[in-house]
């Protein structure tokens, strides 16, 4: 496997492009927005610079890594040589299905089609193609360059060969896989989205985000509190995750109205500059 194509160059896509290029793959990074692609390359360059400063890689490594990444707004161009796709567009089922139908048209017959969805069942996304055996969930964690774990989700039709190639890819980019069964939310979002939704309820009941975060760090040993986590993940991602789980498992996964209101208000967290806390992007 030589070429990894990443569709969507936002928070997750730029990270996946970076770690794939660091792992030695040629990377095609696609987005509908030129601005997103330019920002993604600036972020990757900044991240690699930090790694050089820390002595983790040499300047030559950083340069070579950057040179392995090509950006394009042309999906067909991005797909034609891809051995593996990692789709990282917005968490929207219809959009993902449209993209997977296009991927089937533009990719080689043997290309593996991976999705970084946080919560949508992989089998549902795969239903937009006629190659379900080559569709798989590759759920990276945020921030991608720093988080060791990748949740790999085997859809109803995913073949053992697709699993094997994907697990090898995860290992080659220096990460470790945890394998999850294909139901809404998998393992990680099923547990974390509920935690973040409960934190929203605590805020509505009068607790401050600072105290909630402090309590969970000091008393439960969490590396970051749920309000900080929600800001990092993006409130809309957690809301869509809850909606997918509510659809499949019922009312107990209902996103809290305050979570929805915060999304409508643009209080997404780090990516919009303001959530529970303020960020200087
Ligand atoms: N944010 C997280 O912590 C996190 C963690 C794990 C998984 N995810 C999942 O990763 C995916 C992306 O999330 P994100 O936080 O990076 O979102 P984001 O909003 O930061 O980025 C999404 C990108 O997709 C692009 N896009 C939209 N339509 C497109 C199209 N048709 N073709 C190409 N690009 C298109 C947008 O321009 C944008 O740059 C979602 O499915 C999300 O659930 C997110």
């Amino acid at each position: 496997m030589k070429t990894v194509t990443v569709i969507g160059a936002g928070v997750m896509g730029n990270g996946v492009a970076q770690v794939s290029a660091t792992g030695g793959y040629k990377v095609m990074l696609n987005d509908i927005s030129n601005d997103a692609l330019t920002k993604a390359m600036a972020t990757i360059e900044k991240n690699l610079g930090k790694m050089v400063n820390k002595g983790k890689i040499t300047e030559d490594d950083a340069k070579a890594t950057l040179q392995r990444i090509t950006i394009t707004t042309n999906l067909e161009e991005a797909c034609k040589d891809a051995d593996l796709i990692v789709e990282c567009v917005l968490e929207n089922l219809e959009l993902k299905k449209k993209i997977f139908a296009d991927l089937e048209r533009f990719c080689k017959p043997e290309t593996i089609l991976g999705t970084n969805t946080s919560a949508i069942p992989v089998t549902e996304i795969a239903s937009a193609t006629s190659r379900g055996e080559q569709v798989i969930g590759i759920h990276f964690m945020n921030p991608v360059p720093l988080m060791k774990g990748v949740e790999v989700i085997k859809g109803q039709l995913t073949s053992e060969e697709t699993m094997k190639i994907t697990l090898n890819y995860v290992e080659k980019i220096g990460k470790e896989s945890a394998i999850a069964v294909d139901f809404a939310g998998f393992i990680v979002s099923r547990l974390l989205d509920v935690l973040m939704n409960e934190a929203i309820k605590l805020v509505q009941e009068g607790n401050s985000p600072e105290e909630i975060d402090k309590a969970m760090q000091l008393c439960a040993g969490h590396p970051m509190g749920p309000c900080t986590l929600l800001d990092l993940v993006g409130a809309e991602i957690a809301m869509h995750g809850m909606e997918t789980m509510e659809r499949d498992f019922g009312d107990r996964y209902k996103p809290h109205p305050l979570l929805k209101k915060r999304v409508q208000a643009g209080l997404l967290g780090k990516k919009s500059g303001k959530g529970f806390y303020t960020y200087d992007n």
Side-chain angles (χ1 to χ4, degrees), residues 10-12 31 88-89 91 96 116 118 139-140 142 233 271:
V11 171
M12 297 306 286
D31 202 290
C88 298
V89 304
E91 185 74 349
K96 287 190 192 285
N116 185 48
S118 302
H139 183 199
F140 284 87
N142 183 8
V233 167
K271 67 173 81 168

Side-chain angles (χ1 to χ4, degrees), residues 6-14 30-33 35-37 72-73 75 87-92 95-96 98-99 102 115-120 138-144 189 229 232-234 236-238 240-241 268 271:
V6 181
I7 318 280
V11 171
M12 297 306 286
N14 77 59
N30 165 264
D31 202 290
I32 43 167
S33 150
D35 191 39
L37 289 169
T72 176
T73 52
L75 184 63
E87 168 277 308
C88 298
V89 304
L90 314 173
E91 185 74 349
N92 175 300
L95 175 63
K96 287 190 192 285
K98 186 192 170 302
I99 286 181
D102 285 343
T115 173
N116 185 48
T117 176
S118 302
I120 301 169
I138 315 177
H139 183 199
F140 284 87
M141 303 297 139
N142 183 8
V144 180
S189 300
L229 182 65
L232 179 69
V233 167
E236 87 291 9
I237 301 283
H240 292 315
L268 306 182
K271 67 173 81 168

Side-chain angles (χ1 to χ4, degrees), residues 50 60 64 66 108 137 148 150 155 158 180 186 189 191 240 253 255:
K50 279 188 200 157
D60 284 351
L66 274 178
K108 302 179 284 189
K148 184 87 180 158
V150 177
T158 312
F186 323 122
S189 300
L191 295 172
H240 292 315
Y253 291 95

